[in-house]
Amino acid sequence: METKYAALRRSTEETAAVDSHAHNLVADGSAFPFLRCFSEADGADALAFVPHTLSFKRSLRDIAALYNCEASLEKVESFRRAEGLSSISSKCFQAANLSAILIDDGIEFDKMLDLEAHKEFAPTVGRILRIEKLAEKIINDESFSASSWTLDSFTEFFVTKLKSVADKIVGLKSIAAYRSGLEIDPNVSKTDAEDGLRKELSGQRPLRITNKNFIDYLFTSSLEIAVLHHLPMQIHTGFGDKDLDLRKCNPLHLRAVLEDERFSKCQIVLLHASYPFSKEASYLASVYSQVYLDFGLAIPKLSVQGMISSLKELLELAPMNKVMFSTDGYAFPETYYLGARRARDVVYRVLSAACEDGDLSIQEAIGAVEDIFRRNAMHLYKLNVANGSVSQITTIVDNSLSLSYVEKDVLFVRIVWNDASGQHRCRVIPAGRFYDIARKKGVGLTFASMGMSSFTDGPADGTNLTGVGEMRLVPDMSTLLRLPWSRDEEMVLADMQIRPGVAWEYCPRNALRKVTKVLLDEFNVTMMAGFENEFYLRKKLVSGEKELWVPYDNTPYCSTTAFDGASSILQEVYSSLKAAEIVVEQLHAEAGKGQFEVALKYVLCTLAADQLIYAREIIKSVARKHGVMATFLPKPDLNDMGSGCHVHLSLWDNDQNVFMGSSESNFYGMSKVGEKFLAGVYYHLPSVLAFTAPHPNSYNRIQPNTWSGAYLCWGKENREAPLRTACPPGVPLDLVSNFEIKSFDACANPHLGLAAIVAAGIDGLRRGLKLPEPIESNPAEYASTLKRLPTDLLESVESLAADKILHELIGDKLVTAVIAVRKAEIDHYAKNPEAFADLIHRY
């Protein structure tokens, strides 16, 4: 079995993990007893029994093996004293392979180290703020007398404090379970909360908050801040030290909070596998979109079988992209090591067993390892990763962090947008200024930027966009990426906003979000998209004073020689895409001279558009690094094959592909929803082409007998049709899983192209449109009866100008600007046909 799952074992052992919940270390000489490393027990009497637990005996051997000393408590403690904190911490953290640690510093130990000190042992340290600790710090401050506090004055002070640190922390945490239990009333009255506060203030200082009404109010107020600032809320659930009442720590008590619409978008993390309520936690994560799970403390504190059982119970119902690793490390670096070591072993055991049972394939299990140890936490806590290391976004640990510290790691941040002509553009901000100002306030950009064409950096006539007026490019920090090919730089995609939080009507990313929201709200489905990137590699020749860009090679479709010749480039492209969390499904040489294709895995369409921009950036930049040019221009050589950006699309209701037909509903393999959506795309396709084939050069590619889709038709597995339904391996032959649009190329702004497709599909669903019969052979054979798709950009633009549906759903102002840019390009390239030659540098 070990041999069979060697790749899975390697993945669990080698993945650089994000430790998403831990606590501060203590300095040498701390009075905090080392036996607490192995147990939640407290006090000499209880600790005396710890050496008789399964966890202690196993963990002591693990530590002794790391230190290469005798497996006795005396020898381990002697080794620790001789080596000192810095040395043993280096050993433990290196063995744990942690790329980031997120620390709740709300629990106090004797001689506790501050957050900054932990950077000696981990690349990135983020802070998790414990809300009860903050409240107690405020109330216990000697500058405030008990008689001066009211609920309103406390709330104002508490909320102001939270907001002031919101951009310096990665999440909030509550220990309500320890104080009054998890049966929190999110609608506790202000009168009851005020009474609770008065009762707290009547006690001795320093006070420890225990009043349920006041804690419920405090929790609810904090959740409101968490929603406002997009901060996850960690909640202690399940077991812990004797200070809690385990009966009140079942996460099912949180139902009232989870059902409250105010908090439906607040990501709530149930800590400690909720042990012994792991099944209950798994259920909550399966039915509530905002619930996530963390299994730190349960691993490594339980026996091996206990750990395996707990993790299995979490995964019985919970989605794997909601389950996260943490060590719950505290006080001693060994706790971090033990948490990581045992988590890797237990995750391997559980996932390999799932493979044996047929629940997972090996590749799916490897993907789950990445999710559990790294990806889920990065996404939830808005961290950034490249090549296994995590760089700071919102992980500044205190106000004293200087801008020069940021610039030691990153020099520049590129704020990237894609304009109406499909060109990638960026503003570059020094990292210090970006993290200090631009990441929150954005940078100004002239309105004219969304009216520019591929031949001039000025707004086209008729766009209604000029140099008068300014919007702001506001970074979407969830897209922040360390450049794999330039490690001193990052890039981030931007939203266009007319004022803080208000989208500009011409913003392409918002246009796609807007139509996908309509699709979800009206029909409860989302669209997934996967792009195939075709491009040419060209090398430079200098002939006299003339610069020529010639094909990289002269080989046929899927040539082994072509791939071998470009393998060093393609290997780095693949590694860089992987570092950017962009999944490559396959690569091969295409039919053109020096032409290649990189196909990407389908993801949610909004993410697919973002990833397509990054994929193009990566491919072009890696090629340039190797001394060649990558061009995505649809037809760089009129005598060779064109380059498309075919996109595969499917419709989903949660985890169910609803484009695919069933025994109850099957129209050529499609469901009723699938047929209506595709029918909408079919009827609007001439207009959609103004977005997906948006350049005069695009129509040099869309020709009969070139697998580019020249006639208005559709077909099952018909690669000459512009719309092809697909039946990949594993799908029953009478069904289809998705459809492909051939008439999509890299001159398209991907957000606008997908927005047009979604808008067309919405119309098909609203009106219950029907598809004609499919074409099952080369459409050119039916040229006399089939309608030709637009043969030039002008025809597409005229169709779009008359298409009221696309104007309405995408936005009339944006569509008007797009039409004006298209008309300007039609006019320019008709008058300057030689200008096409320069476009290899723009696309």
Side-chain angles (χ1 to χ4, degrees):
M1 184 166 165
E2 281 291 325
T3 302
K4 182 178 179 181
Y5 297 113
L8 177 60
R9 171 66 83 177
R10 188 164 56 250
S11 178
T12 57
E13 291 177 350
E14 295 179 359
T15 298
V18 175
D19 185 353
S20 53
H21 177 75
H23 304 277
N24 304 62
L25 296 173
V26 298
D28 289 329
S30 170
F32 195 69
F34 183 60
L35 266 177
R36 290 289 304 272
C37 176
F38 305 96
S39 173
E40 289 291 285
D42 189 16
D45 290 344
L47 284 173
F49 291 94
V50 168
H52 302 280
T53 63
L54 299 179
S55 174
F56 172 85
K57 294 179 183 300
R58 180 196 68 241
S59 297
L60 187 68
R61 287 194 299 272
D62 287 343
I63 295 171
L66 177 67
Y67 292 162
N68 195 25
C69 69
E70 182 183 317
S72 71
L73 184 61
E74 180 185 2
K75 292 297 183 181
V76 166
E77 289 193 285
S78 175
F79 181 90
R80 296 182 83 255
R81 288 191 296 271
E83 289 288 309
L85 178 66
S86 180
S87 176
I88 62 171
S89 295
S90 295
K91 289 179 187 293
C92 289
F93 279 94
Q94 184 176 0
N97 191 14
L98 303 177
S99 56
I101 53 175
L102 310 183
I103 291 181
D104 161 24
D105 59 350
I107 182 170
E108 293 186 357
F109 304 117
D110 177 53
K111 295 188 177 180
M112 186 172 82
L113 300 181
D114 62 21
L115 288 176
E116 188 72 24
H118 293 73
K119 290 182 181 176
E120 181 182 345
F121 313 118
T124 295
V125 178
R127 184 188 181 200
I128 297 163
L129 178 67
R130 188 181 291 204
I131 60 172
E132 292 86 2
K133 184 70 175 181
L134 175 62
E136 288 168 350
K137 185 176 181 181
I138 292 169
I139 294 174
N140 288 322
D141 192 306
E142 293 180 0
S143 62
F144 296 95
S145 64
S147 60
S148 69
W149 282 111
T150 65
L151 185 67
D152 285 340
S153 64
F154 167 80
T155 302
E156 181 181 1
F157 203 92
F158 179 78
V159 168
T160 300
K161 270 288 190 184
L162 268 188
K163 287 182 176 180
S164 72
V165 297
D167 64 341
K168 302 176 182 68
I169 60 177
V170 295
L172 301 175
K173 180 184 174 182
S174 170
I175 56 166
Y178 271 93
R179 304 301 176 85
S180 55
L182 294 180
E183 197 168 356
I184 293 165
D185 178 5
N187 297 305
V188 62
S189 70
K190 289 190 68 174
T191 301
D192 289 341
E194 182 103 53
D195 180 63
L197 176 60
R198 280 199 301 269
K199 289 177 178 176
E200 295 285 9
L201 293 174
S202 65
Q204 290 186 335
R205 302 288 186 93
L207 65 83
R208 179 178 181 274
I209 298 171
T210 58
N211 182 272
K212 183 180 186 312
N213 287 331
F214 183 60
I215 288 174
D216 290 358
Y217 177 83
L218 183 69
F219 183 91
T220 305
S221 300
S222 300
L223 274 191
E224 290 173 349
I225 301 301
V227 171
L228 181 65
H229 291 276
H230 308 290
L231 291 170
M233 171 71 85
Q234 297 184 348
I235 303 177
H236 181 106
T237 61
F239 77 133
D241 63 43
K242 67 179 182 180
D243 200 24
L244 57 76
D245 183 343
L246 190 59
R247 294 167 296 183
K248 296 180 180 180
C249 298
N250 188 325
L252 292 180
H253 290 311
L254 291 167
R255 287 286 297 275
V257 172
L258 300 177
E259 294 284 350
D260 195 309
E261 288 188 4
R262 292 172 295 169
F263 311 128
S264 62
K265 300 299 182 184
C266 182
Q267 294 150 319
I268 290 175
V269 184
L270 306 181
L271 296 174
H272 312 320
S274 297
Y275 181 83
F277 309 111
S278 300
K279 286 186 177 181
E280 288 86 342
S282 180
Y283 164 72
L284 292 176
S286 74
V287 296
Y288 291 101
S289 62
Q290 71 268 44
V291 174
Y292 294 75
L293 308 176
D294 183 303
F295 55 74
L297 185 63
I299 300 176
K301 289 295 189 289
L302 305 179
S303 70
V304 170
Q305 290 305 314
M307 292 185 287
I308 291 171
S309 173
S310 182
L311 184 57
K312 277 185 175 179
E313 288 183 350
L314 289 187
L315 294 177
E316 282 180 1
L317 287 172
M320 289 180 291
N321 61 352
K322 283 186 164 192
V323 178
M324 284 172 291
F325 156 80
S326 75
T327 64
D328 197 41
Y330 57 90
F332 310 106
E334 291 87 351
T335 58
Y336 285 85
Y337 166 66
L338 291 171
R341 184 192 188 289
R342 283 298 158 181
R344 294 180 191 280
D345 180 60
V346 169
V347 168
Y348 167 75
R349 293 188 188 212
V350 170
L351 294 182
S352 60
C355 292
E356 284 292 298
D357 293 338
D359 284 337
L360 294 174
S361 69
I362 294 176
Q363 205 56 45
E364 287 170 335
I366 291 172
V369 169
E370 286 283 313
D371 285 342
I372 291 168
F373 282 106
R374 203 162 63 94
R375 277 198 293 251
N376 297 341
M378 289 189 307
H379 174 74
L380 189 69
Y381 299 103
K382 299 176 182 63
L383 304 172
N384 175 48
V385 69
N387 293 327
S389 64
V390 178
S391 63
Q392 288 187 327
I393 297 176
T394 53
T395 55
I396 299 171
V397 297
D398 57 41
N399 289 322
S400 65
L401 186 61
S402 67
L403 300 184
S404 62
Y405 179 85
V406 174
E407 291 191 331
K408 286 179 183 177
D409 196 38
V410 179
L411 289 178
F412 298 136
V413 182
R414 306 178 188 184
I415 303 179
V416 178
W417 74 97
N418 196 262
D419 67 15
S421 69
Q423 294 182 87
H424 297 198
R425 300 179 187 267
C426 72
R427 284 283 187 86
V428 181
I429 313 296
R433 180 173 177 79
F434 176 84
Y435 282 100
D436 187 40
I437 298 173
R439 72 185 174 106
K440 289 182 286 187
K441 297 184 178 180
V443 295
L445 191 68
T446 173
F447 283 174
S449 295
M450 276 301 289
M452 295 176 179
S453 65
S454 64
F455 64 87
T456 185
D457 288 338
D461 293 340
T463 58
N464 298 319
L465 298 168
T466 69
V468 178
E470 183 175 272
M471 49 83 177
R472 297 199 75 74
L473 290 173
V474 179
D476 177 353
M477 294 302 289
S478 70
T479 69
L480 189 75
L481 173 71
R482 177 72 68 87
L483 301 190
W485 66 89
S486 180
R487 299 290 296 140
D488 292 334
E489 298 182 61
E490 294 172 331
M491 67 179 172
V492 64
L493 291 174
D495 288 318
M496 297 174 172
Q497 298 183 358
I498 195 64
R499 60 180 182 273
V502 179
W504 190 39
E505 292 168 295
Y506 297 84
C507 177
R509 296 182 85 227
N510 185 67
L512 179 55
R513 281 196 292 262
K514 184 171 66 174
V515 293
T516 54
K517 185 177 187 301
V518 172
L519 182 65
L520 181 61
D521 290 347
E522 292 190 20
F523 304 102
N524 199 37
V525 295
T526 56
M527 187 174 80
M528 307 285 272
F531 285 97
E532 298 174 2
N533 289 272
E534 294 178 340
F535 57 94
Y536 277 91
L537 292 180
R538 291 190 165 185
K539 52 190 176 184
K540 183 166 66 175
L541 290 182
V542 178
S543 178
E545 296 182 357
K546 192 173 182 180
E547 181 180 276
L548 300 174
W549 289 92
V550 301
Y552 187 74
D553 63 20
N554 186 15
T555 53
Y557 172 72
C558 280
S559 164
T560 56
T561 301
F563 192 88
D564 189 55
S567 63
S568 61
I569 300 172
L570 297 173
Q571 285 176 24
E572 187 169 349
V573 164
Y574 170 76
S575 296
S576 297
L577 289 169
K578 185 178 180 182
E581 302 285 322
I582 299 173
V583 179
V584 175
E585 292 205 323
Q586 57 179 297
L587 313 85
H588 63 264
E590 263 296 347
K593 298 173 183 177
Q595 189 183 32
F596 295 86
E597 178 182 302
V598 177
L600 307 180
K601 181 178 174 63
Y602 68 88
V603 292
L604 194 65
C605 66
T606 47
L607 177 59
D610 290 348
Q611 289 189 349
L612 183 61
I613 292 172
Y614 278 3
R616 293 176 188 166
E617 284 291 303
I618 286 169
I619 292 168
K620 290 172 75 76
S621 299
V622 170
R624 188 180 302 114
K625 178 180 172 182
H626 286 260
V628 299
M629 172 196 289
T631 179
F632 292 84
L633 189 67
K635 196 77 169 179
D637 184 342
L638 298 182
N639 297 312
D640 206 343
M641 300 299 293
S643 288
C645 188
H646 310 158
V647 60
H648 289 258
L649 303 162
S650 54
L651 302 174
W652 292 75
D653 180 349
N654 293 318
D655 294 328
Q656 183 71 33
N657 184 339
V658 294
F659 181 80
M660 187 185 298
S662 64
S663 57
E664 292 80 25
S665 173
N666 190 332
F667 178 79
Y668 291 99
M670 287 174 278
S671 65
K672 290 179 180 178
V673 168
E675 183 200 354
K676 292 173 185 177
F677 188 93
L678 183 57
V681 177
Y682 171 87
Y683 284 108
H684 288 277
L685 191 55
S687 305
V688 169
L689 258 60
F691 292 96
T692 62
H695 199 278
N697 185 253
S698 301
Y699 296 82
N700 294 322
R701 182 184 79 89
I702 303 175
Q703 299 294 326
N705 302 310
T706 60
W707 292 9
S708 58
Y711 293 92
L712 182 56
C713 63
W714 75 279
K716 184 175 179 179
E717 296 293 13
N718 188 340
R719 283 173 166 76
E720 275 292 343
L723 301 174
R724 172 179 77 98
T725 57
C727 179
V731 174
L733 292 177
D734 61 332
L735 301 180
V736 294
S737 64
N738 63 85
F739 71 96
E740 177 187 27
I741 295 184
K742 293 283 189 180
S743 311
F744 204 121
D745 65 49
C747 288
N749 178 306
H751 295 91
L752 295 181
L754 291 177
I757 293 166
V758 174
I762 288 170
D763 187 46
L765 290 168
R766 282 175 173 174
R767 295 200 286 148
L769 296 178
K770 300 290 186 181
L771 281 167
E773 290 298 302
I775 299 298
E776 297 183 345
S777 59
N778 189 340
E781 297 174 8
Y782 303 88
S784 60
T785 56
L786 277 181
K787 182 180 178 181
R788 183 79 157 81
L789 278 176
T791 57
D792 58 37
L793 181 57
L794 181 59
E795 288 185 54
S796 298
V797 168
E798 289 172 344
S799 293
L800 177 59
D803 197 321
K804 294 180 181 179
I805 299 297
L806 265 60
H807 278 256
E808 173 196 341
L809 285 169
I810 296 173
D812 186 65
K813 289 184 178 180
L814 177 53
V815 173
T816 297
V818 166
I819 289 173
V821 171
R822 304 294 183 260
K823 286 182 176 179
E825 297 195 319
I826 292 166
D827 181 66
H828 176 78
Y829 292 104
K831 294 176 180 177
N832 304 280
E834 73 286 348
F836 280 119
D838 292 332
L839 290 175
I840 59 172
H841 300 286
R842 289 186 177 254
Y843 297 101

